[in-house]
């Protein structure tokens, strides 16, 4: 006999846990099945990274009632400086020019996990099942069933009207649901670490395009920054293994002296970068969200923010189904979700992919053109405002949560 829920979310990482929290006010019974607790050293979502949470995502968290728990761990980004190493063009964006308190906030992933899981633990209609790994899916006309393998070798089944895949870029559930994907290796690796600098960042984030790939320094508490440094895999292996002094020298050369001397570096880690796009966002009784639907290059910090808008849209479509007495896993819900999300996905994937292609192209005329593009962005307020609207998550058809309204 299987236990039954309205919604089963597979994956309790940053996006899956956010969906559960967003569904809390609805009269739906929700289970989240997660393979690894947030404190596990193997946890792929709540790891050593820090996430640039866009202003639009802050609004979503606020409307979900999660922001209070995240706020003390969040460092506001008030300005962003974008430059091309060794070229003339640069541009700067300032939150005050757009009437925003901040363009975004930097939060360590390890702080996001416990805040979301605590939120889930506080609601009777939400249940976290962990550690437990989904290993099979069966779909019938009126529902779906997932099989969960437990650590002790046992297994259990859970029934649901809708199963949501929030199980990351390699998404076993996407495969079990028969949804194909397009995947392209960027041939780049992101090296991440926390660094401290001799000069304060004054809440400014830096995105610097270098000949090897983009380098971001995101402001954190004190004089610390979260570094995301993208380069070829062989170069990444070298800087990961380099002694601290050599690492700091190379980073200083690539970043320059805008924050004075880069004095210390914490634990370094690396992530191979691949663009993954699911062929469809839905299958019968299944919806994809977050990296299971789209895994992006981290340039411009868009992946989680796009996933959180999946969350807000799916929660709203489900709220409408509840209101109208519709089946939450029925075809009309899945169709509404798929149609809503495709435009935002397309826009963000095109934006991040074009930035990577444009700024890693070694050809002289392309290098000159991107200097002009940065200069143009700086001189054309309307173009810059459009870029800011997109990257802060305030463009296109916004779900209720992204407008600061309750989901229902
Ligand atoms: C270096 C780097 C920097 C980034 N910086 C930013 C940024 O600044 N801003 C931003 O918006 N985005 C950023 N991103 C992207 C962001 O990290 C991802 O979009 C986000 O983590 C995706 O979360 P997710 O929950 O969809 O997937 P994941 O984080 O992969 O979580 C999937 C979860 O599913 C669980 N799981 C997997 N399989 C199963 C199974 N069979 N059964 C049960 N559970 C399972 C896993 O244990 C995990 O907890 C960055 C990415 C990288 C690589």
């Amino acid at each position: 006999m299987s236990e039954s829920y309205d919604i089963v979310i597979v994956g309790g990482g940053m996006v899956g846990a956010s969906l559960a929290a967003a569904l809390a006010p609805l009269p739906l019974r929700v289970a989240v099945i997660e393979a690894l607790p947030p404190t596990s050293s193997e946890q792929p979502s709540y790891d050593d990274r820090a996430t640039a949470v866009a202003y639009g995502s802050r609004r979503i968290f606020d409307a979900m009632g999660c922001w209070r728990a995240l706020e003390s761990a969040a460092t506001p980004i008030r300005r962003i400086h974008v430059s091309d190493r060794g070229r003339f063009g640069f541009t700067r964006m300032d939150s005050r020019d757009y009437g925003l308190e901040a363009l975004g906030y930097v939060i360590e992933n390890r702080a996001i996990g416990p805040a979301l899981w605590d939120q889930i633990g506080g609601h009777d209609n939400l249940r976290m099942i962990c550690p437990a790994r989904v290993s099979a899916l069966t779909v019938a006309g009126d529902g779906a069933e997932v099989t969960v393998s437990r650590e002790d070798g046992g297994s259990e089944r859970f029934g649901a009207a809708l199963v949501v895949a929030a199980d990351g870029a390699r998404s076993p559930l996407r495969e079990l649901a028969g949804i194909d994907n397009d995947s392209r290796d960027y041939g780049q690796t992101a090296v991440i670490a926390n660094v401290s600098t001799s000069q304060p960042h004054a809440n400014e984030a830096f995105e610097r395009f270098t000949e090897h790939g983009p380098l971001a320094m995101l402001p954190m508490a004190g004089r610390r920054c979260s570094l995301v440094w993208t380069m070829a895999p062989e170069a990444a292996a070298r800087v990961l293994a380099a002694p601290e002094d050599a690492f700091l020298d190379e980073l200083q050369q690539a970043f320059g002296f805008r924050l004075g001397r880069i004095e210390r570096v914490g634990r370094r880690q690396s992530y191979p970068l691949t663009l993954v796009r699911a062929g469809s966002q839905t299958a019968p009784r299944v919806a994809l969200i977050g990296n299971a639907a789209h895994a992006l290059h981290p340039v411009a910090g868009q992946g989680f923010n796009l996933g959180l808008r999946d969350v807000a849209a799916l929660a709203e479509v489900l709220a409408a189904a509840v209101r109208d007495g519709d089946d939450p896993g029925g075809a009309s819900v899945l169709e509404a979700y798929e149609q809503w999300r495709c435009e935002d996905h397309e826009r963000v994937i095109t934006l991040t992919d074009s930035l990577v292609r444009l700024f890693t192209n070694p050809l002289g005329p392309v290098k000159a053109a991107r200097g002009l593009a940065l200069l143009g962005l700086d001189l054309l307020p309307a173009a810059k405002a459009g870029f800011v609207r997109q990257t802060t998550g305030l463009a296109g058809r916004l779900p209720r949560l992204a407008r600061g309204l309750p989901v229902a």
Side-chain angles (χ1 to χ4, degrees):
M1 268 268 291
S2 71
E3 210 175 310
S4 266
Y5 291 87
D6 297 303
I7 316 288
V8 163
I9 302 168
V10 181
M14 297 210 296
V15 174
S18 296
L19 178 64
L23 297 178
L26 301 179
L28 292 170
R29 291 192 65 234
V30 179
V32 183
I33 301 172
E34 167 55 52
L36 297 159
T39 46
S40 159
S41 58
E42 314 272 283
Q43 229 296 336
S45 211
Y46 310 119
D47 58 11
D48 283 343
R49 285 171 295 175
T51 295
V53 171
Y55 183 79
S57 296
R58 177 239 157 107
R59 270 204 204 152
I60 295 177
F61 276 141
D62 225 348
M64 280 162 51
C66 296
W67 184 247
R68 241 174 308 132
L70 291 168
E71 196 169 13
S72 60
T75 305
I77 302 172
R78 305 215 193 274
R79 285 169 303 285
I80 302 179
H81 183 284
V82 185
S83 60
D84 194 3
R85 184 171 179 265
R87 312 295 301 181
F88 55 89
F90 77 94
T91 189
R92 189 176 244 149
M93 289 154 242
D94 190 319
S95 58
R96 287 171 303 189
D97 295 340
Y98 307 98
L100 300 175
E101 178 204 290
L103 295 165
Y105 302 81
V106 182
I107 313 180
E108 285 174 270
N109 289 16
R110 288 200 196 287
I112 297 178
L116 292 173
W117 281 46
D118 279 358
Q119 181 89 1
I120 293 169
H123 293 274
D124 290 341
N125 60 329
L126 310 180
R127 183 176 163 211
M128 180 63 77
I129 301 164
C130 175
R133 193 173 284 277
V134 169
S135 53
L137 167 78
T138 48
V139 175
D142 58 350
E145 197 175 68
V146 293
T147 305
V148 162
S149 317
R150 289 213 174 256
E151 273 188 333
D152 61 10
S155 73
E156 257 177 283
R157 285 175 297 150
F158 296 92
L162 176 68
V163 178
V164 180
D167 50 352
R170 293 207 192 102
S171 182
L173 201 88
R174 184 178 66 211
E175 197 164 309
L176 291 169
I179 300 176
D180 61 356
N181 72 88
D182 247 2
S183 137
R184 177 156 48 84
D185 187 349
Y186 276 115
Q188 290 188 345
T189 295
V191 173
I192 65 123
N194 290 344
V195 297
S196 48
T197 58
S198 64
Q199 285 176 22
H201 50 62
N203 295 95
E204 184 154 8
F206 296 85
E207 181 88 54
R208 190 153 170 77
F209 291 95
T210 78
E211 58 274 38
H212 307 298
L215 186 168
M217 291 271 259
L218 306 173
M220 297 175 76
R223 286 200 179 160
R224 287 184 316 140
C225 286
S226 164
L227 166 74
V228 185
W229 190 7
T230 310
M231 59 191 83
E234 313 76 58
R238 188 174 46 72
V239 301
L240 284 166
E244 179 162 344
D245 283 359
F247 179 90
L248 290 174
D249 279 351
E250 193 162 340
L251 175 60
Q252 189 87 61
Q253 262 189 29
F255 179 68
F257 284 84
R258 281 200 174 80
L259 292 173
R261 286 217 73 79
I262 305 170
E263 293 176 326
R264 289 180 56 201
V265 58
R267 197 152 83 99
R268 295 165 237 169
Q269 287 207 299
S270 66
Y271 297 82
L273 301 177
T274 305
L275 172 66
V276 182
R277 299 183 72 166
S280 163
Q281 305 307 306
T282 60
R285 300 272 159 206
V286 174
L288 311 188
I289 59 172
N291 272 23
H294 43 70
L296 315 180
H297 193 289
V299 65
Q302 293 295 302
F304 171 68
N305 293 299
L306 186 63
L308 196 62
R309 297 200 291 279
D310 295 343
V311 164
L314 183 56
E316 186 163 329
V317 168
L318 288 169
V322 167
R323 184 194 60 218
D324 300 341
D326 289 342
D327 175 354
S332 59
V333 165
L334 293 169
E335 205 181 305
Y337 171 68
E338 172 119 30
Q339 276 187 5
W340 191 344
R341 294 309 297 143
C342 54
E343 199 186 309
D344 195 14
H345 289 177
E346 194 55 46
R347 242 193 338 248
V348 175
I349 290 169
T350 305
L351 173 79
T352 54
D353 200 41
S354 315
L355 282 174
V356 177
R357 284 165 186 265
L358 180 66
F359 282 94
T360 47
N361 194 316
L363 296 176
V366 181
K367 282 178 166 177
R370 69 198 189 208
L372 286 173
L374 282 180
L375 210 59
L377 201 58
D378 213 48
L379 294 173
L380 294 170
K384 191 147 84 169
F387 184 79
V388 168
R389 246 195 330 276
Q390 179 59 56
T391 49
T392 50
L394 300 174
R397 180 185 163 200
L398 294 183
R400 285 175 61 85
L401 288 170
R403 285 179 278 138
L405 302 170
V407 68

